[in-house]
């Protein structure tokens, strides 16, 4: 209208908080950690008890004083150490190759890894306890760990963009919660108050899998 503006014109500009350069590696590397740990944990443990069945040594364990809970614990503890070594290697390679720095607490990151490994190894033990051959256990482990880790964990596709039925299915996918907590801790430097829900849900799923495996 020819009248001079009394206030300066405001032009909104979007700003990316935690990945301003839009580097896809910073988005994918935390998800790859979850995928590799889930795949290795499920496959290695799924063959542990079923191998005893094929070699017909499971009867010796059943008549021994070893309790089912102790058997499950003994079959999973070695793979916890392997999982932490894998985690450390991926973090080092992410730092060297992609300059990805952990913004949050390493202690909190280790706790998240421990809870996730508990759930993932429990799933592998459950598969091993209900199958009769290593081939069957391996097939089930790959199908139920690799594909969900890629498609249903939020690694590539945002969960909130999926159909409602698929979103409901993701609630039983353990990597979903690990991917979320990893991105919060590594990229945003989040505290426990932000990721405690992911911790709790991974712990609940791990306890369910362990209970079923013991039964």
């Amino acid at each position: 209208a020819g009248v001079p503006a009394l206030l300066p014109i405001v032009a909104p500009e979007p700003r990316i908080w935690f990945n301003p350069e839009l580097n896809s590696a910073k988005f994918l590397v935390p998800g790859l950690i979850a995928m590799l740990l889930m795949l290795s944990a499920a496959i290695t443990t799924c063959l542990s008890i079923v191998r005893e069945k094929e070699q017909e040594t499971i009867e010796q364990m059943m008549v021994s004083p070893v309790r089912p809970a102790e058997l499950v614990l003994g079959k999973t503890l070695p793979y916890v150490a392997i999982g932490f070594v894998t985690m450390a290697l991926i973090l080092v390679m992410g730092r060297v190759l992609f300059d990805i720095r952990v913004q949050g607490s390493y202690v909190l990151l280790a706790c998240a890894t421990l809870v996730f490994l508990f759930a993932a190894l429990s799933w592998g033990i459950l598969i091993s306890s209900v199958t009769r051959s290593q081939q069957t256990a391996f097939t089930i482990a790959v199908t139920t760990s690799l594909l969900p880790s890629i498609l249903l964990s939020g690694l590539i596709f945002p969960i909130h963009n999926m159909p409602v039925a698929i979103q409901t299915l993701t609630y039983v996918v353990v990597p979903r919660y690990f991917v979320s907590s990893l991105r919060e801790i590594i990229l945003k430097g989040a505290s426990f108050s932000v990721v405690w829900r992911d911790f709790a849900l991974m712990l609940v799923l791990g306890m369910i899998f362990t209970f079923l495996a013991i039964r």
Side-chain angles (χ1 to χ4, degrees):
V3 179
L6 299 179
L7 297 175
I9 298 176
V10 178
E13 297 180 0
R15 182 178 64 177
I16 308 300
W17 280 10
F18 305 108
N19 189 11
E21 63 274 9
L22 296 178
N23 184 2
S24 60
K26 291 185 177 181
F27 181 77
L28 292 176
V29 168
L32 290 176
I33 294 175
M35 184 189 72
L36 293 177
L37 287 184
M38 182 67 187
L39 187 62
S40 60
I43 290 180
T44 52
T45 53
C46 80
L47 302 178
S48 57
I49 296 180
V50 72
R51 186 184 299 114
E52 305 286 351
K53 297 178 183 178
E54 286 191 347
Q55 296 176 353
E56 298 183 352
T57 56
I58 191 68
E59 289 81 4
Q60 299 177 10
M61 293 187 177
M62 295 176 65
V63 299
S64 68
V66 178
R67 300 177 181 177
E70 296 171 346
L71 174 62
V72 170
L73 185 63
K75 290 292 187 180
T76 55
L77 281 181
Y79 301 110
V80 173
I82 296 176
F84 271 100
V85 172
T86 304
M87 177 74 168
L89 290 175
I90 298 174
L91 289 177
V92 171
M93 294 180 63
R95 175 69 177 273
V96 173
L97 299 178
F98 305 106
D99 194 30
I100 298 177
R101 305 171 185 267
V102 179
Q103 304 297 329
S105 169
Y106 281 95
V107 176
L108 187 60
L109 184 61
C111 292
T113 305
L114 181 62
V115 175
F116 171 74
L117 286 175
F118 166 67
L121 293 173
S122 299
W123 176 246
I125 287 293
L126 176 59
I127 295 175
S128 184
S129 63
V130 299
T131 53
R132 294 295 179 182
S133 67
Q134 296 186 61
Q135 182 178 3
T136 303
F138 180 82
T139 303
I140 296 176
V142 172
T143 304
T144 58
S145 60
L146 179 60
L147 294 180
S149 297
I150 296 176
L151 301 177
L152 303 178
S153 66
L155 168 62
I156 299 177
F157 309 107
I159 295 178
H160 61 267
N161 288 346
M162 299 178 182
V164 177
I166 303 300
Q167 291 187 36
T168 304
L169 183 61
T170 62
Y171 285 111
V172 296
V173 176
V174 180
R176 166 189 173 153
Y177 310 107
F178 192 43
V179 170
S180 175
S181 59
L182 283 179
R183 286 173 176 164
E184 294 288 342
I185 297 172
I186 295 177
L187 301 181
K188 302 180 181 181
S191 62
F192 179 74
S193 61
V194 177
V195 298
W196 71 269
R197 291 181 179 85
D198 295 327
F199 279 50
L201 290 170
M202 286 190 293
L203 187 61
V204 168
L205 289 175
M207 294 176 64
I208 293 174
F209 297 154
T210 302
F211 174 77
L212 294 176
I214 292 174
R215 293 295 298 177

